[in-house]
């Protein structure tokens, strides 16, 4: 499993705590659109990760509208128009095997396929690509193409038997692999303060401890109602489950409809003292815990194998 712990490119040294504090004071006064405009110009190696939740869709639509306006203001020369049809953009400065068409969409869009998404979520991912005519970079658990592949490696219902390893394998490791391969230095997140929990104290721009990854939360100050109003006003494609009582949508096995208007994420991980999937917690701590768990499992498996061999040997002796 890859051991990369931080983006391949280094965040500029001027992103000090004092500098971030000053930036956040200014960003607090801007609309989400203006925050994104600033980020698209100012933040190095900017990407967006999304599971196509309501906030992520609003951000995607805003980026698309900003891009259209910029293209109208600064038309692409006719000589380069043919490249619009290509999935890859040779001008993208990342690794050539993972180039991204920045002419079609300026911010690489990453979708983490956990293998346990609702069918409605997968359908939405396809509709979004068609609606915006954008490429989508899909990352899955390492070495897995299907749910059967994942369960063959790690067992069925891993979210029940080893929740930490599940989160690490389906979300954290694929995300870190995406950051490394795309040269990501800044990631756009759909988190909002109104989602409560650890998110209630969000800054608009954060520097992730240890990894040095910048995280941008352009809709941090928005309410769920503001998000929903935008979706409707701009006819943004959204998950059909939102019309069935779901307010925050993750994997099918850990997401339920909710009528709790005060806590939109109350339908996630019902009955568990859990509010995050692992993408926004201490990466190094989580990786260390995952590795320790794997070593323990390997030791238990080896001990079990040894006992079975001893029992087989004893049975032969008796025979």
């Amino acid at each position: 499993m890859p051991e990369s712990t931080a983006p391949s490119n280094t965040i500029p040294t001027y992103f000090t705590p004092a500098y971030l504090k000053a930036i956040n004071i200014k960003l607090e006064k801007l609309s989400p659109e203006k925050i994104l405009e600033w980020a698209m110009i100012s933040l190095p190696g900017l990407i967006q990760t999304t599971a196509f939740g309501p906030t992520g869709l609003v951000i995607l639509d805003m980026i698309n509208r900003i891009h259209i306006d910029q293209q109208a203001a600064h038309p692409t020369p006719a000589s380069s128009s043919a490249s619009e049809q290509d999935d890859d953009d040779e001008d993208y400065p990342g690794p050539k095997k993972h180039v991204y068409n920045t002419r079609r969409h300026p911010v690489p869009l990453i979708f983490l396929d956990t293998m346990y998404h609702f069918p409605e979520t997968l359908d939405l991912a396809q509709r979004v690509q068609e609606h915006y005519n954008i490429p989508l970079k899909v990352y899955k658990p390492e070495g897995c193409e299907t749910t059967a592949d994942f369960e063959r490696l790690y067992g069925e219902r891993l979210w029940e038997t080893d929740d930490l390893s599940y989160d690490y394998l389906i979300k954290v490791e694929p995300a870190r692999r995406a950051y490394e391969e795309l040269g990501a230095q800044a990631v756009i997140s759909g988190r909002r303060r109104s989602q409560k929990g650890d998110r209630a104290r969000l800054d608009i721009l954060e520097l992730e401890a240890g990894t040095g990854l910048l995280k941008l939360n352009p809709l941090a100050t928005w309410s769920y109602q503001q998000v929903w109003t935008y979706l409707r006003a701009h006819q943004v494609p959204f998950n059909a489950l939102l019309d069935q009582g779901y307010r925050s949508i993750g994997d099918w096995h850990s997401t339920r409809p909710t009528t709790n208007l005060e806590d939109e994420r109350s339908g996630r991980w019902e009955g568990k003292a859990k509010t995050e999937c692992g993408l926004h917690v201490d990466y190094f701590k989580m990786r260390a815990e995952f590795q320790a768990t794997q070593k323990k499992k390997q030791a238990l498996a080896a001990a079990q194998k040894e006992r079975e061999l001893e029992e087989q040997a004893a049975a032969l002796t008796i025979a």
Side-chain angles (χ1 to χ4, degrees):
M1 188 161 295
E3 291 295 314
S4 61
T5 59
S8 57
N9 299 318
T10 303
I11 297 296
T13 56
Y14 54 78
F15 278 96
T16 62
Y19 183 66
L20 279 172
K21 182 177 181 180
I23 288 177
N24 275 301
I25 290 173
K26 294 182 178 180
L27 294 179
E28 285 282 345
K29 302 174 183 177
L30 300 181
S31 67
E33 291 91 342
K34 290 300 182 182
I35 292 171
L36 287 167
E37 284 184 17
W38 170 82
M40 290 162 65
I41 295 171
S42 305
L43 295 184
L46 183 65
I47 69 170
Q48 180 186 1
T49 59
T50 185
F52 299 108
T55 310
L57 290 166
V58 169
I59 292 170
L60 172 60
D61 189 80
M62 286 180 176
I63 291 173
N64 187 65
R65 290 174 182 278
I66 291 168
H67 187 46
I68 291 172
D69 289 344
Q70 290 175 341
Q71 285 184 315
H74 306 284
T76 303
S79 60
S80 63
S81 61
S83 62
E84 296 276 9
Q85 307 303 318
D86 298 333
D87 286 336
D88 295 335
D89 184 352
E90 295 181 356
D91 295 331
Y92 181 69
K96 289 304 179 184
K97 65 177 180 178
H98 289 284
V99 291
Y100 193 91
N101 190 336
T102 54
R103 293 187 181 89
R104 185 183 299 178
H105 190 73
V107 179
L109 187 62
I110 311 304
F111 175 58
L112 301 179
D113 186 350
T114 67
M115 307 290 184
Y116 295 95
H117 281 301
F118 285 96
E120 290 86 348
T121 302
L122 299 177
D123 173 70
L124 175 61
Q126 184 60 42
R127 286 192 288 125
V128 164
Q129 290 183 83
E130 294 171 357
H131 182 82
Y132 294 103
N133 188 29
I134 59 173
L136 180 65
K137 292 293 184 184
V138 179
Y139 282 80
K140 300 181 178 182
E142 189 177 30
C144 302
E145 283 298 320
T146 65
T147 305
D149 291 338
F150 185 81
E151 294 182 349
R152 185 165 53 251
L153 289 172
Y154 303 107
E156 297 181 3
R157 307 184 76 84
L158 184 64
W159 61 88
E160 293 181 351
T161 61
D162 187 355
D163 191 45
L164 182 142
S165 293
Y166 178 80
D167 285 348
Y168 184 86
L169 289 165
I170 68 159
K171 283 283 187 74
V172 178
E173 187 283 324
R176 293 291 158 176
R177 186 162 18 103
Y179 301 161
E180 181 69 21
E181 292 180 353
L182 291 168
Q185 299 180 64
V187 179
I188 300 173
S189 159
R191 293 176 295 161
R192 290 179 284 106
R193 293 170 190 163
S194 62
Q195 292 171 321
K196 301 186 176 181
D198 293 338
R199 304 184 178 196
R201 298 174 297 278
L202 276 177
D203 284 330
I204 292 176
L205 184 64
E206 307 169 297
L207 185 63
E208 190 174 71
T211 66
L213 186 72
L214 287 168
K215 288 188 175 180
L216 181 73
N217 308 300
L219 268 67
T221 63
W222 271 27
S223 67
Y224 185 83
Q225 186 56 54
Q226 285 176 292
V227 171
W228 190 247
T229 298
Y230 184 100
L231 290 177
R232 292 294 195 186
H234 295 281
Q235 298 184 326
V236 179
F238 60 84
N239 199 313
L241 293 174
L242 293 176
D243 284 333
Q244 300 176 33
Y246 292 83
R247 289 166 64 82
S248 176
I249 301 167
D251 291 338
W252 61 260
H253 52 71
S254 58
T255 306
R256 299 289 182 271
T258 178
T259 57
N260 186 349
L261 301 182
E262 298 299 318
D263 183 2
E264 68 190 73
R265 288 171 64 81
S266 61
R268 303 285 293 276
W269 308 293
E270 188 176 24
K272 294 185 178 181
K274 177 178 178 178
T275 61
E276 295 289 352
C277 64
L279 288 178
H280 303 295
V281 300
D282 188 317
Y283 167 70
F284 289 108
K285 179 180 179 181
M286 189 171 190
R287 191 185 68 163
E289 290 177 351
F290 168 75
Q291 292 174 336
T293 299
Q294 292 301 106
K295 288 180 181 179
K296 184 176 181 180
K297 286 182 178 180
Q298 291 168 2
L300 289 172
Q304 177 64 27
K305 183 66 174 179
E306 186 174 349
R307 284 195 296 271
E308 292 175 355
L309 291 174
E310 290 175 351
E311 289 172 359
Q312 292 174 7
L316 289 173
T317 300
I318 294 173

